[in-house]
Amino acid sequence: ASSLAKSRQMVETARKHGATILVPSAFEHNDAIASAKAWAAGKKINCYHATNSFDDYPTHGIHGVYLICRAIAEAGNPVVSVSYRTDKWHRAPGVMTFEHRDEDGRQFFGSLHQINSGLGAIRIHPQGDDPPRNFEIRGGTGAPYNQTELWAPTIWAFQRMALHGEMPQTFEQILHKNRVFLAGWRSVLTADGNPVRLEDVPDDWETPVELPSRPDDETVALLRKKFG
């Protein structure tokens, strides 16, 4: 959603009518990031750094944001603030910094490089004697693995939700990652790349929807015609 008010309205409507919703990225629903979340859970994290294949923030940059939310925030380390530094949000490169607080209130930071190569990966550095560990999203080799490794798990998540009513993320997790995404927007658009706390994003603040890098894309016009 392009504002927190809109995302809350969607969630509240779903709750009111007993509906399930899915707000997915293929960079969340894959074995590498599921393994990262499971490995990070219960650990004290010093820091992490991640990469994401990128061409603009709202259509592909969001995949890296959701990767961080899945692997780190959902392992018990919610995001507190986001900074996003780049010359242009609709092209690479850019770097985002995430401030987290763990379950004990301890602060740590991680970075996400928005680049125009590869898929996505994260390297997590825990406290103590455990060495850092890499988790890299990979496409499978040849059919059918070029589909099942990356794209199919999201479809399976939707199928499980449709058949059994099981949401892969709670409403609170969906709202949290939307707030993280919006804080990144607000950092690059209004704060000159400085950190923006999630709680400081106004409910009615709207992000851009047109893409300067895709001037001939009719998607926005079609959606406005359909939904106003």
Side-chain angles (χ1 to χ4, degrees):
S2 58
S3 75
L4 184 57
K6 290 178 180 177
S7 64
R8 280 182 173 154
Q9 183 181 20
M10 285 187 249
V11 165
E12 289 166 5
T13 301
R15 278 180 167 149
K16 178 179 178 181
H17 296 282
T20 54
I21 56 176
L22 178 67
V23 187
S25 163
F27 281 23
E28 296 174 292
H29 298 283
N30 58 76
D31 184 60
I33 301 309
S35 297
K37 176 183 173 181
W39 188 81
K43 288 184 171 61
K44 296 293 185 183
I45 297 174
N46 269 330
C47 66
Y48 62 85
H49 52 273
T51 58
N52 176 54
S53 180
F54 177 95
D55 58 5
D56 62 63
Y57 183 59
T59 60
H60 286 97
I62 193 171
H63 293 298
V65 173
Y66 281 12
L67 181 160
I68 298 301
C69 290
R70 189 70 157 178
I72 305 297
E74 291 186 20
N77 308 286
V79 177
V80 175
S81 73
V82 183
S83 69
Y84 179 18
R85 298 190 64 83
T86 182
D87 285 339
K88 303 288 184 183
W89 58 261
H90 45 84
R91 67 179 63 153
V95 63
M96 303 182 73
T97 302
F98 301 84
E99 176 191 0
H100 297 262
R101 297 279 179 176
D102 68 13
E103 293 175 343
D104 297 324
R106 184 183 58 90
Q107 178 191 58
F108 68 91
F109 295 88
S111 64
L112 170 66
H113 287 263
Q114 302 279 22
I115 58 177
N116 56 4
S117 64
L119 290 172
I122 186 168
R123 180 176 175 87
I124 306 172
H125 297 256
Q127 289 186 343
D129 296 330
D130 287 341
R133 186 165 172 183
N134 297 325
F135 301 89
E136 182 180 358
I137 300 171
R138 296 177 180 269
T141 304
Y145 309 111
N146 58 347
Q147 302 298 322
T148 59
E149 292 301 302
L150 182 57
W151 307 116
T154 304
I155 298 172
W156 296 335
F158 174 76
Q159 181 185 43
R160 185 167 59 250
M161 187 182 76
L163 294 177
H164 305 292
E166 297 176 8
M167 288 172 52
Q169 291 170 314
T170 66
F171 290 125
E172 289 73 21
Q173 288 169 336
I174 290 170
L175 286 172
H176 182 70
K177 66 182 185 180
N178 180 247
R179 292 169 78 96
V180 175
F181 175 62
L182 293 173
W185 263 127
R186 195 158 173 87
S187 172
V188 72
L189 292 177
T190 71
D192 196 30
N194 289 304
V196 170
R197 294 179 65 83
L198 271 61
E199 63 189 26
D200 292 337
V201 178
D203 279 13
D204 59 353
W205 184 76
E206 291 272 350
T207 70
V209 289
E210 289 87 357
L211 301 176
S213 53
R214 304 182 188 186
D216 299 324
D217 191 334
E218 298 179 351
T219 304
V220 172
L222 291 171
L223 289 173
R224 281 184 173 149
K225 182 179 179 180
K226 179 74 173 176
F227 299 107

